[in-house]
Amino acid sequence: MLTHLINGLQLGSIYALVALGYNMVYGIIKLLNFAHGDVIMVGGYIALFALTFGLNPVISALLTVIGCTLLAIIIEKLAYTPLRFAPRLSLLITAIGVSILLQNLAQLFFRAGGRPFPSQLLLPTGSFSLGGVSLAYTSVITILASIVSMILLAVLVKSTKLGKAMRAVSEDQGAAQLMGINVNSIITFTFALGAALAGIGALLYAVRFPLIGPTIGAMLGLKAFVAAVCGGIGSIPGAMLGGYIIGLLEMFIVAAGLSRWVDAVVFLVLICVLMVRPTGFMGRNLMEKV
């Protein structure tokens, strides 16, 4: 039972890191960035080739995070900035288009088949015993990485001048601009920060599922989106809570021998949550003036 709990928290930690990226971008410009999962896919390939070429694991991890960050900035500048004042539907369609583009470019350059990821070169593969239960180092590192990331992000948003600017832009871009805040820079920084978390998520996902392919980000992104919505879109603690809920739910469904129903149950949970609490567990109702 404890083993399934730890594995569920490990998987949920990955979903939580990806969901944090969704929440940050949505909180700033109300965009559901469906290309976020494919940024993780690109990060997986960066880590794969960096380790294959014999680079140090720390350097490989840094290259992955930097690569995801730069890719997100490029996407934001080329695809989203020109549509900043367009209807939200236009942004949503563009995000889906960017996602499809990244997947097809990956298939063009790396072929459609998956490539094994040398996870043993990135993190230690051993385990230790806790209360008679064997725990893998990778599971513990993944859980700790997600918790530390959430704490650092919360401190950045709540306790720094930059975080104050992010919250101001989220509340009212026009008023924030009048107060001297560079709205474009804040939006770009938000994309970059979300992509950095995606880079960390890519590394942890590749360790958990050591097979990199052009479509690995599609379902991961969708499940992380479910986690973000269930936890409360726009809420940092909500993203973590939603990620853990989805991860634990999946693991216990697998433990019950119903692995073929995992995806169906996850999206059924999304429907149920939206019916009962449309804002998610930790979301808040917003009044809109008309």
Side-chain angles (χ1 to χ4, degrees):
M1 185 68 175
L2 183 57
T3 301
H4 293 312
L5 177 64
I6 296 299
N7 289 335
L9 290 175
Q10 179 189 11
L11 184 59
S13 297
I14 299 171
Y15 290 150
L17 283 172
V18 184
L20 283 172
Y22 275 114
N23 274 5
M24 291 179 62
V25 172
Y26 183 84
I28 294 292
I29 60 173
K30 301 298 183 288
L31 166 66
L32 295 174
N33 183 20
F34 283 115
H36 193 61
D38 299 287
V39 172
I40 293 174
M41 175 268 295
V42 174
Y45 275 110
I46 294 173
L48 170 65
F49 290 120
L51 292 171
T52 302
F53 291 148
L55 294 182
N56 182 278
V58 175
I59 296 177
S60 300
L62 287 175
L63 285 176
T64 302
V65 173
I66 292 171
C68 289
T69 302
L70 291 177
L71 177 60
I73 292 174
I74 292 172
I75 292 172
E76 192 269 331
K77 292 299 184 184
L78 295 182
Y80 300 147
T81 299
L83 299 174
R84 182 70 52 79
F85 301 104
R88 292 182 189 175
L89 182 60
S90 300
L91 279 168
L92 181 62
I93 294 172
T94 301
I96 295 173
V98 172
S99 172
I100 295 172
L101 175 64
L102 290 176
Q103 289 182 31
N104 281 273
L105 286 176
Q107 291 186 30
L108 177 64
F109 288 109
F110 308 125
R111 307 301 180 190
R115 300 187 182 211
F117 184 84
S119 57
Q120 72 280 359
L121 299 178
L122 188 63
L123 291 178
T125 56
S127 61
F128 64 96
S129 180
L130 179 64
V133 178
S134 180
L135 301 177
Y137 287 119
T138 54
S139 299
V140 176
I141 291 173
T142 300
I143 296 170
L144 291 177
S146 70
I147 294 174
V148 170
S149 298
M150 187 196 75
I151 293 174
L152 291 177
L153 181 61
V155 171
L156 171 67
V157 173
K158 297 292 185 182
S159 305
T160 66
K161 186 176 180 180
L162 187 59
K164 187 177 182 180
M166 292 171 65
R167 286 183 281 128
V169 173
S170 176
E171 286 290 333
D172 191 325
Q173 290 189 20
Q177 198 165 20
L178 290 174
M179 293 297 104
I181 296 173
N182 190 326
V183 173
N184 289 329
S185 297
I186 293 298
I187 292 174
T188 300
F189 176 78
T190 303
F191 270 88
L193 187 57
L197 294 173
I200 299 173
L203 295 167
L204 299 177
Y205 183 82
V207 170
R208 181 71 173 80
F209 303 101
L211 188 67
I212 304 298
T215 59
I216 64 166
M219 186 55 69
L220 172 60
L222 283 175
K223 289 183 178 179
F225 172 68
V226 171
V229 173
C230 289
I233 194 75
S235 167
I236 294 175
M240 298 297 293
L241 176 63
Y244 288 138
I245 289 174
I246 298 301
L248 289 169
L249 179 65
E250 282 197 21
M251 198 50 58
F252 284 117
I253 291 173
V254 171
L258 301 173
S259 57
R260 291 184 297 178
W261 293 90
V262 166
D263 295 343
V265 172
V266 167
F267 292 107
L268 179 61
V269 168
L270 172 63
I271 295 172
C272 294
V273 170
L274 290 176
M275 290 175 61
V276 176
R277 188 172 175 81
T279 58
F281 296 119
M282 301 187 71
R284 57 192 179 95
N285 292 316
L286 298 175
M287 296 183 66
E288 185 172 341
K289 294 181 180 181
V290 295

